[in-house]
Amino acid sequence: MNGLERQRYNRNILLPEIGTAGQETLLASRVLVVGAGGLGSPLLLYLAAAGVGHLGIIDDDLVSLSNLQRQILHATEDLDRPKVTSALETLSSLNPGIHVTPYNERLTEQNVHPLAHQYDLVVVACDNFETRTIVNAACMHQKKPMLTAAVSGFSGQIYTFKPYLGSACYRCIYPNLPTSNLVPPLASNAFEDGILGSVAGVLGSWLSTEVVKELLNIGESLAGQILILDVLRNNFRKLHIPRDPVCSFCRKSQTD
Ligand SMILES: [Zn+2]
């Protein structure tokens, strides 16, 4: 780290859990974020500000007017531009010392493996069952953490999956989801529901904190648990999620 970096990350370095060594680790870390929307915006802003050295962003969407109520990476002048382009500019302006790689495409079963291979950890920041299923399989195979959050209205959940260490995988919780390009049976994608922007902000910020914890291996991992937040009623709770002993997905990966 040079002198400017020491100044920029001073408040991180002052934390005994991070320190100079932890900041060096963050600067050397590579995180792939799927989705530059309501969850991805606060997540990416905080990861960039914290000095996570290489961020990959995959999203094939354009910025639309109804996004701006919560997707704070993007501004009014970004309307109709690719979200990854707008995200790249915002994040580079916030922190020119990190590398941001935009992928203006949709994550698929085909491109997920070579993409995930380049990163230490993958965050699914779009509320989409099919994407989580695709990333779950790739991260299980590559033994990398997958973090994700779901948000709707005033509530949401945060998950960390590290099934290669023995905790539940995403399919242990949702075993009956389609694996191909079918419409998921549970139609609860966030873009169809009402949502308060700041609630996506809470979830995305919390998710970014869990990412930093995983990268630095500090604190208690959320793996094997769900953190459930109900902001309207001020309820926060953690639920243990047991591994499904007959889950064909993590059982298969253990025999690879
Ligand atoms: Zn499983």
PDB file of all heavy atoms in Angstrom, residues 66 75 83 85 126 140 147 150 165 190 200 220 252:
ATOM      1  N   SER A  66     -37.761   3.464 -13.374  1.00  0.00           N
ATOM      2  CA  SER A  66     -38.268   2.881 -12.122  1.00  0.00           C
ATOM      3  C   SER A  66     -37.156   2.215 -11.306  1.00  0.00           C
ATOM      4  O   SER A  66     -37.373   1.839 -10.159  1.00  0.00           O
ATOM      5  CB  SER A  66     -39.364   1.851 -12.421  1.00  0.00           C
ATOM      6  OG  SER A  66     -38.832   0.753 -13.130  1.00  0.00           O
ATOM      7  N   ALA A  75     -27.738   7.053 -12.129  1.00  0.00           N
ATOM      8  CA  ALA A  75     -28.349   8.379 -12.008  1.00  0.00           C
ATOM      9  C   ALA A  75     -29.260   8.627 -13.209  1.00  0.00           C
ATOM     10  O   ALA A  75     -29.296   7.847 -14.162  1.00  0.00           O
ATOM     11  CB  ALA A  75     -27.266   9.448 -11.929  1.00  0.00           C
ATOM     12  N   LYS A  83     -26.443  -1.148 -17.383  1.00  0.00           N
ATOM     13  CA  LYS A  83     -26.174  -0.970 -15.953  1.00  0.00           C
ATOM     14  C   LYS A  83     -24.701  -1.182 -15.618  1.00  0.00           C
ATOM     15  O   LYS A  83     -24.153  -0.526 -14.731  1.00  0.00           O
ATOM     16  CB  LYS A  83     -27.028  -1.946 -15.137  1.00  0.00           C
ATOM     17  CG  LYS A  83     -28.488  -1.557 -15.069  1.00  0.00           C
ATOM     18  CD  LYS A  83     -29.255  -2.445 -14.103  1.00  0.00           C
ATOM     19  CE  LYS A  83     -30.719  -2.040 -14.104  1.00  0.00           C
ATOM     20  NZ  LYS A  83     -31.538  -2.951 -13.275  1.00  0.00           N
ATOM     21  N   THR A  85     -22.143  -0.441 -17.428  1.00  0.00           N
ATOM     22  CA  THR A  85     -21.374   0.747 -17.832  1.00  0.00           C
ATOM     23  C   THR A  85     -21.523   1.845 -16.784  1.00  0.00           C
ATOM     24  O   THR A  85     -20.542   2.461 -16.352  1.00  0.00           O
ATOM     25  CB  THR A  85     -21.857   1.260 -19.198  1.00  0.00           C
ATOM     26  OG1 THR A  85     -21.821   0.172 -20.129  1.00  0.00           O
ATOM     27  CG2 THR A  85     -21.001   2.394 -19.705  1.00  0.00           C
ATOM     28  N   CYS A 126     -29.035 -10.489  -7.492  1.00  0.00           N
ATOM     29  CA  CYS A 126     -30.339 -10.339  -8.145  1.00  0.00           C
ATOM     30  C   CYS A 126     -31.254 -11.387  -7.520  1.00  0.00           C
ATOM     31  O   CYS A 126     -30.795 -12.485  -7.183  1.00  0.00           O
ATOM     32  CB  CYS A 126     -30.240 -10.516  -9.644  1.00  0.00           C
ATOM     33  SG  CYS A 126     -29.562 -12.077 -10.176  1.00  0.00           S
ATOM     34  N   MET A 140     -20.144 -24.645  -5.828  1.00  0.00           N
ATOM     35  CA  MET A 140     -19.944 -25.925  -5.152  1.00  0.00           C
ATOM     36  C   MET A 140     -18.804 -26.665  -5.828  1.00  0.00           C
ATOM     37  O   MET A 140     -17.910 -27.193  -5.181  1.00  0.00           O
ATOM     38  CB  MET A 140     -21.241 -26.734  -5.223  1.00  0.00           C
ATOM     39  CG  MET A 140     -21.276 -27.897  -4.281  1.00  0.00           C
ATOM     40  SD  MET A 140     -22.925 -28.083  -3.592  1.00  0.00           S
ATOM     41  CE  MET A 140     -23.921 -28.165  -5.042  1.00  0.00           C
ATOM     42  N   LEU A 147     -22.688 -15.976  -1.782  1.00  0.00           N
ATOM     43  CA  LEU A 147     -23.522 -15.195  -0.874  1.00  0.00           C
ATOM     44  C   LEU A 147     -24.687 -14.631  -1.667  1.00  0.00           C
ATOM     45  O   LEU A 147     -24.541 -14.312  -2.857  1.00  0.00           O
ATOM     46  CB  LEU A 147     -22.726 -14.046  -0.240  1.00  0.00           C
ATOM     47  CG  LEU A 147     -21.763 -14.439   0.888  1.00  0.00           C
ATOM     48  CD1 LEU A 147     -20.510 -15.090   0.346  1.00  0.00           C
ATOM     49  CD2 LEU A 147     -21.409 -13.242   1.747  1.00  0.00           C
ATOM     50  N   ALA A 150     -32.300 -11.975  -0.452  1.00  0.00           N
ATOM     51  CA  ALA A 150     -33.607 -11.801  -1.076  1.00  0.00           C
ATOM     52  C   ALA A 150     -34.297 -10.663  -0.342  1.00  0.00           C
ATOM     53  O   ALA A 150     -34.156 -10.541   0.876  1.00  0.00           O
ATOM     54  CB  ALA A 150     -34.421 -13.080  -0.963  1.00  0.00           C
ATOM     55  N   LEU A 165     -17.727 -27.130   2.886  1.00  0.00           N
ATOM     56  CA  LEU A 165     -17.260 -27.275   4.268  1.00  0.00           C
ATOM     57  C   LEU A 165     -18.291 -28.017   5.126  1.00  0.00           C
ATOM     58  O   LEU A 165     -18.159 -28.078   6.345  1.00  0.00           O
ATOM     59  CB  LEU A 165     -16.962 -25.902   4.884  1.00  0.00           C
ATOM     60  CG  LEU A 165     -15.828 -25.112   4.233  1.00  0.00           C
ATOM     61  CD1 LEU A 165     -15.608 -23.784   4.957  1.00  0.00           C
ATOM     62  CD2 LEU A 165     -14.531 -25.928   4.239  1.00  0.00           C
ATOM     63  N   ALA A 190     -37.944  -9.932  -7.101  1.00  0.00           N
ATOM     64  CA  ALA A 190     -38.142  -8.623  -6.476  1.00  0.00           C
ATOM     65  C   ALA A 190     -38.701  -7.584  -7.425  1.00  0.00           C
ATOM     66  O   ALA A 190     -39.400  -6.683  -7.008  1.00  0.00           O
ATOM     67  CB  ALA A 190     -36.816  -8.131  -5.895  1.00  0.00           C
ATOM     68  N   ALA A 200     -33.602  -2.359   0.467  1.00  0.00           N
ATOM     69  CA  ALA A 200     -32.580  -2.993  -0.382  1.00  0.00           C
ATOM     70  C   ALA A 200     -31.195  -2.511   0.038  1.00  0.00           C
ATOM     71  O   ALA A 200     -30.226  -3.283   0.013  1.00  0.00           O
ATOM     72  CB  ALA A 200     -32.840  -2.663  -1.850  1.00  0.00           C
ATOM     73  N   GLU A 220     -18.161 -14.508  12.655  1.00  0.00           N
ATOM     74  CA  GLU A 220     -18.920 -15.750  12.487  1.00  0.00           C
ATOM     75  C   GLU A 220     -19.530 -15.771  11.094  1.00  0.00           C
ATOM     76  O   GLU A 220     -20.265 -14.864  10.718  1.00  0.00           O
ATOM     77  CB  GLU A 220     -20.023 -15.814  13.551  1.00  0.00           C
ATOM     78  CG  GLU A 220     -20.845 -17.092  13.504  1.00  0.00           C
ATOM     79  CD  GLU A 220     -21.990 -17.046  14.520  1.00  0.00           C
ATOM     80  OE1 GLU A 220     -21.718 -16.884  15.721  1.00  0.00           O
ATOM     81  OE2 GLU A 220     -23.147 -17.137  14.086  1.00  0.00           O
ATOM     82  N   LYS A 252     -23.591 -34.957  -4.586  1.00  0.00           N
ATOM     83  CA  LYS A 252     -22.854 -35.201  -5.828  1.00  0.00           C
ATOM     84  C   LYS A 252     -21.481 -34.531  -5.791  1.00  0.00           C
ATOM     85  O   LYS A 252     -20.476 -35.104  -6.175  1.00  0.00           O
ATOM     86  CB  LYS A 252     -23.675 -34.659  -7.002  1.00  0.00           C
ATOM     87  CG  LYS A 252     -23.053 -34.835  -8.363  1.00  0.00           C
ATOM     88  CD  LYS A 252     -24.094 -34.562  -9.434  1.00  0.00           C
ATOM     89  CE  LYS A 252     -23.464 -34.368 -10.798  1.00  0.00           C
ATOM     90  NZ  LYS A 252     -22.889 -33.045 -10.985  1.00  0.00           N
TER      91      LYS A 252
END
